[in-house]
Amino acid sequence: MTTDLTRLTADALAIKLSSGEVSSVEATQAHLDRIAAVDGSVHAFLHVASDSALAEAADIDRRRAAGEELHPLAGVPIAIKDVIVTKGMPTTSGSKILEGWVPPYDATVMTKLRAAGLVSIGKTNMDEFAMGSSTEHSAYGPTHNPWDLERIPGGSGGGSAAAVAAFEAPFALGSDTGGSIRQPAHVTGTVGLKPTYGGVSRYGAIALASSLDQIGPVSRTVLDSALLHDVIGGHDPRDSTSLTDVWPSFAEAVRNADVAGLRIGVITELQGDGFQPGVMERFREALALLEGAGAIITEVALPSVEHAIAAYYLIMPAEASSNLAKFDSVRFGLRVNPKGGGTVEDVMSATREQGFGAEAKRRIILGTYALSAGYYDAYYGSAQKVRTLVQRDFAAAFANADVLVSPTAPTTAFKLGEKTGDPLSMYLNDIATIPANLAGIPGISVPVGLAAEDGLPVGIQFLAPAREDARLYGVAAALEALLEQKWGHTLLSQAPDLSPSEMNATDEGAV
Amino acid sequence: MSEITQEQVTHLASLARIALTPEEIVSLTSELGSIMDHVATVTEVATPDVPATSHPIPLQNVFRDDVVGQTLTAEEALAGAPDHDGSRFRVTAILGEEQ
Amino acid sequence: MAKLMDYDRALELFEPVLGFEVHIELSTKTKMFSDAPNYFGGEPNTNITPVDLGLPGSLPVVNGQAVRYAISLGLALGCSIAPTSRFARKNYFYPDLAKNYQISQSDEPIAFAGSVEVELPNGRMFTVPIERAHMEEDAGKLTHVGGATGRIQGAEYSLVDYNRAGVPLVEIVTDIIYGAEADAPELAKAYVSTIRDIVVGLGISEARMERGNLRCDANISLRRRTPEGEPPAPLGTRTETKNVNSLRSVERAIRYEIQRQAAILDDGGTITQETRHWHEDTGQTSAGRPKSDADDYRYFPEPDLLPVVPSAELIEELRAALPEAPAIRRRRLKAEWNFTDLEFQDLTNSGLVNEVIETVAAGAAPAAARKWWTGEIARTANAQGVDATTLVTPLQVAQLVALVDAGTLTDRLARQVLEGVIAGEGTPQQVVDARGLAVVSDDGALIAAIDEALQSQPDVLAKIRDGKVQAAGAVIGAVMKAMKGQADAARVRELVLERATALPE
């Protein structure tokens, strides 16, 4: 019976919980059991909070029994990307430099999850400080794609996507700076949405690039992402960049999904060359389905997209080089004393040398270069101008289309180790997801099937104008319904069964 | 324009307070060179007439009222510190001076 | 010890060129970017939030009141207020800087291009050009442990308290100041004193230099004079003197640097561009960190904060609420109070103008207020080595003056009362009551004392009766002694003459 609970969507589980058919302790235990069974192979979690999760679940059950009015999602387990600061749970952002750090405060999204009664079952693996597209840059070893354990689960939020795809959690929190929610969704057959910049508070999300980062939902269905987004969204006075907008119910947008008359603009620059045939095939098939449902498919140009990666790989490292300066061995985290002692400068330098992985060091040096005297105008300054051009392109495109569409990434999941030696080719993999971060607009990835050549999941990305996240939920939910009607099943029901194995993550402790 | 030397990388590492090994300096010099070759293309389209965008969604005058909120206790503040004396963070001798 | 050139000789050979960076700690309730209390005494690391500690994930939010204070200060400095100003990150590693970047303003400060009129002790008026005023955050506090001096050199380790981290600052930067000439040290002191008067007048800072609420970094260089008709020599290399914690030190430090640099240059040496530390005890500066082009702060717009775009309405509202400029106010007060140039100069130099204003406002006559503050109170402060304003309040001084005016106290008694007030014995009236210091105005007690004195000196009595009134002095003295001075001498004299005739033969 308990294995069945892990197969439920968050929405379905919530209904069983509120009807009293299932207790939160049962639901939580079922997911903990599943983690114990499969996470040795998947390694989605850096920390599994068994005791605190069961205690939180018991509390929800008690409050429900006492007749207290609870949030509809109360008692549903959730996994948290380790970039999010959690009181009482270690938070490392995938880095050795923060090993064992237990924050004295909660991120705003955590405060909101706790207020809604969601049960945090653990922290998920990620590329160090969210720098990567494969989780191979995690200081704690990579996460494996549940569809093929030899392959990457995407990144940086590969842990959250894999946890959801492997039925270790019904949904999870992710963060997206250049595609870290959407690209893992694409390669794991899950759903992930990057909200409009400012739609979800960044307070307590360990910053990679402040002007690009955004927290968002990761799930198996569009509705579950919408339900989670409804919980975590909204204004936060602790984040100056948080929008004061009153947001519509995204779950409502899912339930009212309809694409009739919707103008969908296919981005010319994000197809063809460099895109895997199997990815393009599924992409075109999805467009045909939407057209059949009444959507109007057009083609739009985003000429500045060719410079988007270049701008991104200047802005992101520049901001990261400054954001990561606080890891200096003084107030928290690792301290490495150089041999024979030394001044505080030597201790800081030794700590940062040993505490940061190769990719973090690469980006810090790159960002320091882009900001340094004599280069600022040419690099950082020019990149900020390209940002303006990308925004203008989107504004023009949205004049002719309600949403834009592209494959979420050029290829399906590549093999672990395939690109670690070539940072630039890893960077180029983010071509389709980066423009949305530069422009601050929302984007969603939804599964559209498996590529014929390798049998691996393929995602489609929809983009909407800033503040129109609801539009994305509508079109994604409509496509999801059309596809599942055509297939007669969900995509994830086709994922391989994972054989039980030893659990890897330490229970209730630092990894 | 993106000719990067080992001396530059060494200087950048000192600005960024990372004690890179000689091997890392060599490999980063070549990696940075190829990355910069690619990203330097931004200069081609960033003409003077294009304004810079630093925030994706334009906002202004986001202020907080001057009202005291909750603070951390010294115990909470020091809990994650590598070294402290019970009330203050401890660091080894400082060579340079404040700026 | 560095070789110094005679000051007058230095001025003959060189023109001093100045520049000042003054940091003002704003007296808001909370910090610049966090809602922690803006207070940094007390237990270390208790007035901090995740933001002040630079904890991963924390984010800054601008204190609106600090922005209003900064705009007011900008306006008081005659600056233009930027239609759009921005915060930027100044990146450098230092253990007292929690994030290893300081949130400051770089090329888009909130206020720019102003000037401040300063009056020198010799009566010369000088206009100091202001380049900019910008907002930023303070750093934490380091304590160096081990080593002989508690200084950074030789310390074994250092301790960091982040209570001061994030305290709101406005930094006022002058343009290059030419033409101060021999008045350079006095100008420096008068400038900092004027800035202090301005911020105190605005009510935006405690502005106590000894507490670091107001800090001055003084830049100075010397330019060799050239014969008339020849082009001026290029500007000299400058030094930046820090750790100047009193008005007196500002003046001394500038004078010292002029003499030190002149001696080096005259010997054919060169000045090193560096930070220099002022030592109050020895009256010297010592070399600190060299400044060089290697300083690369990698400024970039702070992505966590949005532009500050003050409305014209807000600026006009704050402009309308500005107090009078110090120089204008001084001219007005001098006329109103009817002080001579010398009297007013004396008062200005004592730095107690505000105290006199408040004392007058509390009812005292201007002359009496000035006399007490620049006299007895300033003397006591000097003797105790403290700031006069810490000893008594203007209200207490006004109450003291009122007691004298009412005849309750003589000047001599009033000084004793003041001593009691300074000792914390209460208000002047409470000290009078507790110490029993009031002038004895009860004629009964006086008459008894006078009668006794007259009767014990029959020869004097006889002289008075013979009309030799000057003989009364001896009796008056005896009576005042008997009354322990608590009698009005004029009244005693009156009564002595009266009793001399009234007493039976």
Side-chain angles (χ1 to χ4, degrees):
Chain A
M1 178 65 205
T2 49
T3 48
D4 287 341
L5 290 179
T6 65
R7 293 267 156 181
L8 294 174
T9 64
D11 179 53
L13 185 54
I15 290 166
K16 285 187 189 294
L17 286 165
S18 49
S19 73
E21 188 186 333
V22 169
S23 74
S24 178
V25 168
E26 286 170 324
T28 302
Q29 190 60 56
H31 285 92
L32 291 171
D33 291 347
R34 174 72 180 170
I35 292 169
V38 305
D39 209 53
S41 316
V42 178
H43 191 222
F45 285 85
L46 292 179
H47 173 81
V48 180
S50 308
D51 292 349
S52 64
L54 288 169
E56 287 170 28
D59 184 53
I60 292 294
D61 289 338
R62 187 162 51 245
R63 285 162 59 189
R64 198 188 302 280
E68 198 175 314
E69 194 160 325
L70 299 172
H71 187 277
L73 291 175
V76 177
I78 184 166
I80 313 294
K81 187 178 180 182
D82 206 32
V83 74
I84 292 162
V85 161
T86 49
K87 203 171 180 173
M89 279 192 279
T91 301
T92 70
S93 207
S95 181
K96 191 175 157 190
I97 210 161
L98 267 185
E99 187 163 4
W101 183 58
V102 181
Y105 79 106
D106 264 333
T108 297
V109 288
M110 282 309 297
T111 308
K112 291 188 178 213
L113 291 187
R114 292 190 206 275
L118 282 134
V119 174
S120 308
I121 53 168
K123 306 294 295 284
T124 58
N125 196 15
M126 55 186 284
D127 287 293
E128 182 176 11
F129 291 113
M131 294 174 168
S133 313
S134 68
T135 74
E136 290 165 294
H137 299 306
S138 166
Y140 305 100
T143 297
H144 301 259
N145 192 322
W147 288 82
D148 177 350
L149 296 172
E150 300 292 301
R151 290 182 186 265
I152 60 127
S156 66
S160 281
V164 168
F167 299 93
E168 296 173 275
F171 51 18
L173 288 183
S175 72
D176 191 314
T177 305
S180 288
I181 287 176
R182 290 161 290 159
Q183 181 258 10
H186 162 85
V187 296
T188 58
T190 56
V191 176
L193 179 133
K194 180 202 94 72
T196 296
Y197 184 82
V200 177
S201 170
R202 292 186 296 118
Y203 189 76
I206 298 177
L208 167 55
S210 313
S211 74
L212 302 164
D213 296 346
Q214 198 56 196
I215 293 177
V218 175
S219 63
R220 290 191 290 269
T221 67
V222 177
L223 177 60
D224 282 358
S225 272
L227 288 166
L228 182 52
H229 195 164
D230 282 336
V231 173
I232 60 174
H235 180 246
D236 177 15
R238 292 191 181 280
D239 174 1
S240 304
T241 61
S242 165
L243 299 174
T244 52
D245 299 47
V246 176
W247 297 90
S249 160
F250 299 121
E252 221 33 53
V254 170
R255 293 180 175 120
N256 299 330
D258 182 8
V259 293
L262 188 78
R263 297 171 304 161
I264 300 177
V266 181
I267 302 169
T268 309
E269 290 79 4
L270 295 178
Q271 46 183 320
D273 265 8
F275 284 76
Q276 191 179 317
V279 169
M280 289 313 298
E281 194 185 340
R282 293 282 89 85
F283 176 65
R284 293 199 192 95
E285 209 173 83
L287 292 183
L289 272 178
L290 287 165
E291 195 165 27
I296 302 151
I297 311 292
T298 59
E299 185 118 340
V300 297
L302 295 177
S304 301
V305 154
E306 68 167 303
H307 300 289
I309 288 191
Y312 176 83
Y313 277 96
L314 287 166
I315 293 168
M316 177 272 296
E319 293 185 7
S321 70
S322 176
N323 284 331
L324 297 188
K326 58 169 62 92
F327 300 98
D328 64 356
S329 82
V330 177
R331 294 159 304 279
F332 41 78
L334 183 72
R335 174 176 294 182
V336 174
N337 290 301
K339 283 192 199 91
T343 63
V344 71
E345 290 87 343
D346 299 330
V347 176
M348 284 182 182
S349 299
T351 301
R352 290 164 64 79
E353 161 63 14
Q354 290 193 32
F356 289 135
E359 184 63 19
K361 285 186 252 187
R362 189 177 294 126
R363 295 197 191 187
I364 289 170
I365 298 293
L366 180 57
T368 304
Y369 181 57
L371 290 176
S372 60
Y375 297 100
Y376 177 92
D377 288 338
Y379 293 144
Y380 191 77
S382 296
Q384 299 282 45
K385 291 183 170 195
V386 169
R387 205 165 180 173
T388 306
L389 297 176
V390 170
Q391 289 202 333
R392 286 178 183 170
D393 279 2
F394 274 119
F398 284 123
N400 300 310
D402 301 310
V403 296
L404 306 184
V405 68
S406 77
T408 310
T411 68
T412 54
F414 48 88
K415 289 222 159 107
L416 286 160
E418 191 180 317
K419 295 193 178 182
T420 42
D422 184 0
L424 192 56
S425 90
M426 188 86 94
Y427 298 172
L428 296 173
N429 199 44
D430 302 334
I431 181 142
T433 45
I434 278 172
N437 299 82
L438 288 175
I441 62 173
I444 193 170
S445 179
V446 229
V448 286
L450 305 176
E453 58 269 53
D454 52 21
L456 291 167
V458 174
I460 192 171
Q461 170 183 243
F462 295 100
L463 303 172
R467 302 181 156 91
E468 297 298 337
D469 307 44
R471 215 180 272 176
L472 295 181
Y473 283 111
V475 64
L479 176 60
E480 179 185 55
L482 291 166
L483 285 165
E484 288 181 4
Q485 193 178 10
K486 182 181 159 202
W487 299 329
H489 54 73
T490 64
L491 186 67
L492 274 167
S493 64
Q494 306 305 296
D497 250 341
L498 296 161
S499 49
S501 61
E502 293 275 301
M503 196 172 112
N504 222 5
T506 317
D507 194 34
E508 288 291 347
V511 209
Chain B
M1 72 176 294
S2 48
E3 196 57 42
I4 293 181
T5 64
Q6 291 188 24
E7 288 68 37
Q8 268 179 301
V9 172
T10 306
H11 174 63
L12 294 170
S14 105
L15 278 178
R17 286 273 194 282
I18 304 176
L20 293 178
T21 63
E23 298 74 38
E24 284 178 312
I25 288 171
V26 171
S27 61
L28 272 171
T29 302
S30 95
E31 283 166 11
L32 240 57
S34 71
I35 293 168
M36 291 312 295
D37 279 344
H38 181 85
V39 300
T41 59
V42 291
T43 56
E44 294 162 16
V45 284
T47 48
D49 55 305
V50 180
T53 296
S54 53
H55 292 88
I57 311 287
L59 296 173
Q60 61 187 36
N61 293 335
V62 178
F63 302 136
R64 175 175 59 75
D65 287 342
D66 191 18
V67 177
V68 173
Q70 204 184 344
T71 52
L72 295 170
T73 63
E75 291 70 32
E76 286 173 323
L78 296 165
D83 193 9
H84 62 82
D85 76 344
S87 66
R88 286 170 293 184
F89 298 86
R90 192 186 342 238
V91 297
T92 46
I94 299 169
L95 183 66
E97 296 167 29
E98 55 201 308
Q99 328 226 330
Chain C
M1 167 154 182
K3 188 176 157 191
L4 301 182
M5 180 184 281
D6 172 72
Y7 185 72
D8 292 340
R9 176 69 183 147
L11 262 294
E12 275 171 36
L13 296 177
F14 301 100
E15 178 200 352
V17 177
L18 307 174
F20 303 105
E21 288 158 25
V22 172
H23 286 86
I24 310 283
E25 281 179 350
L26 301 179
S27 54
T28 49
K29 294 189 184 68
T30 63
K31 292 187 178 177
M32 187 71 223
F33 302 115
S34 90
D35 57 7
N38 177 10
Y39 167 74
F40 52 87
E43 286 300 304
N45 294 307
T46 52
N47 291 327
I48 49 174
T49 68
V51 179
D52 310 302
L53 207 49
L55 289 187
S58 63
L59 295 171
V61 184
V62 176
N63 182 340
Q65 181 73 331
V67 173
R68 281 187 288 276
Y69 281 3
I71 294 173
S72 291
L73 179 52
L75 292 170
L77 298 171
C79 289
S80 301
I81 302 303
T84 298
S85 78
R86 243 174 264 268
F87 289 98
R89 292 189 187 174
K90 180 183 183 179
N91 293 286
Y92 66 95
F93 283 83
Y94 208 71
D96 64 4
L97 194 61
K99 302 178 294 293
N100 287 316
Y101 58 82
Q102 181 193 32
I103 304 177
S104 181
Q105 296 192 297
S106 110
D107 50 0
E108 295 169 280
I110 185 123
F112 60 95
S115 66
V116 174
E117 207 183 336
V118 167
E119 188 175 358
L120 303 182
N122 59 12
R124 180 182 171 198
M125 297 304 294
F126 196 99
T127 301
V128 176
I130 303 294
E131 185 204 311
R132 56 187 285 160
H134 67 254
M135 298 179 276
E136 59 185 31
E137 56 178 337
D138 213 340
K141 206 165 172 48
L142 286 165
T143 308
H144 306 296
V145 183
T149 55
R151 288 191 192 140
I152 196 162
Q153 292 89 354
E156 286 163 34
Y157 61 91
S158 302
L159 296 169
V160 203
D161 169 13
Y162 291 99
N163 280 348
R164 197 179 63 182
V167 164
L169 295 175
V170 172
E171 179 177 345
I172 304 166
V173 182
T174 66
D175 276 319
I176 298 177
I177 303 167
Y178 300 98
E181 297 296 349
D183 292 332
E186 290 80 11
L187 172 65
K189 179 182 173 185
Y191 170 68
V192 177
S193 167
T194 303
I195 294 293
R196 191 185 64 175
D197 289 349
I198 290 173
V199 297
V200 168
L202 288 168
I204 61 171
S205 174
E206 301 297 323
R208 291 279 170 83
M209 285 191 87
E210 74 279 11
R211 293 188 200 158
N213 300 143
L214 189 157
R215 307 196 281 267
C216 175
D217 301 338
N219 289 294
I220 184 151
S221 66
L222 297 183
R223 173 153 72 171
R224 193 176 290 277
R225 294 188 195 278
T226 50
E228 207 145 330
E230 284 186 24
L235 288 177
T237 303
R238 68 188 170 89
T239 62
E240 181 180 3
T241 303
K242 287 179 176 282
N243 197 32
V244 194
N245 297 328
S246 72
L247 287 175
R248 191 165 153 265
S249 298
V250 174
E251 187 174 350
R252 289 171 72 205
I254 293 281
R255 186 177 299 272
Y256 178 88
E257 267 303 287
I258 290 174
Q259 294 180 266
R260 187 189 69 87
Q261 290 188 16
I264 294 172
L265 293 170
D266 199 44
D267 281 353
T270 53
I271 304 301
T272 311
Q273 188 175 344
E274 64 189 356
T275 301
R276 296 193 66 87
H277 293 274
W278 170 251
H279 302 286
E280 183 72 51
D281 46 353
T282 60
Q284 300 175 24
T285 63
S286 67
R289 203 173 66 90
K291 293 249 173 191
S292 74
D293 298 334
D295 289 341
D296 185 348
Y297 295 122
R298 289 157 285 134
Y299 280 104
F300 72 105
E302 164 60 283
D304 288 327
L305 295 173
L306 287 310
V308 176
V309 186
S311 67
E313 292 74 31
L314 175 67
I315 293 172
E316 287 321 306
E317 178 197 319
L318 294 171
R319 194 194 303 278
L322 286 183
E324 224 172 346
I328 294 168
R329 189 181 62 158
R330 268 198 295 278
R331 276 195 287 273
R332 175 177 60 78
L333 290 174
K334 187 168 153 274
E336 274 179 21
W337 291 344
N338 201 21
F339 285 2
T340 64
D341 283 351
L342 193 66
E343 284 168 343
F344 203 87
Q345 199 58 56
D346 188 36
L347 174 59
T348 307
N349 292 345
S350 72
L352 293 165
V353 176
N354 286 326
E355 281 62 36
V356 171
I357 291 174
E358 288 175 41
T359 308
V360 170
R370 182 183 63 78
K371 186 191 78 177
W372 281 102
W373 280 104
T374 61
E376 195 65 21
I377 301 169
R379 263 195 300 280
T380 310
N382 205 31
Q384 296 185 10
V386 296
D387 197 312
T389 58
T390 61
L391 295 177
V392 283
T393 66
L395 179 62
Q396 288 167 337
V397 176
Q399 288 168 339
L400 188 73
V401 171
L403 289 171
V404 174
D405 289 349
T408 310
L409 295 176
T410 60
D411 265 18
R412 200 175 69 79
L413 284 174
R415 279 197 289 277
Q416 291 180 44
V417 172
L418 179 67
E419 185 190 300
V421 172
I422 289 171
E425 294 168 24
T427 65
Q429 187 60 55
Q430 286 165 339
V431 175
V432 166
D433 294 344
R435 292 195 180 188
L437 288 175
V439 169
V440 176
S441 55
D442 173 357
D443 283 357
L446 272 182
I447 288 166
I450 289 167
D451 288 355
E452 196 191 325
L454 286 171
Q455 279 158 352
S456 64
Q457 299 179 70
D459 51 328
V460 176
L461 178 61
K463 282 181 184 171
I464 297 171
R465 283 179 172 167
D466 286 351
K468 292 175 181 165
V469 289
Q470 66 272 30
V475 178
I476 294 166
V479 171
M480 290 304 284
K481 193 177 173 187
M483 298 308 293
K484 298 192 174 73
Q486 296 179 43
D488 179 354
R491 180 66 185 147
V492 172
R493 181 184 174 79
E494 237 171 70
L495 285 173
V496 166
L497 299 180
E498 199 181 297
R499 293 306 296 167
T501 49
L503 281 175
E505 296 271 336

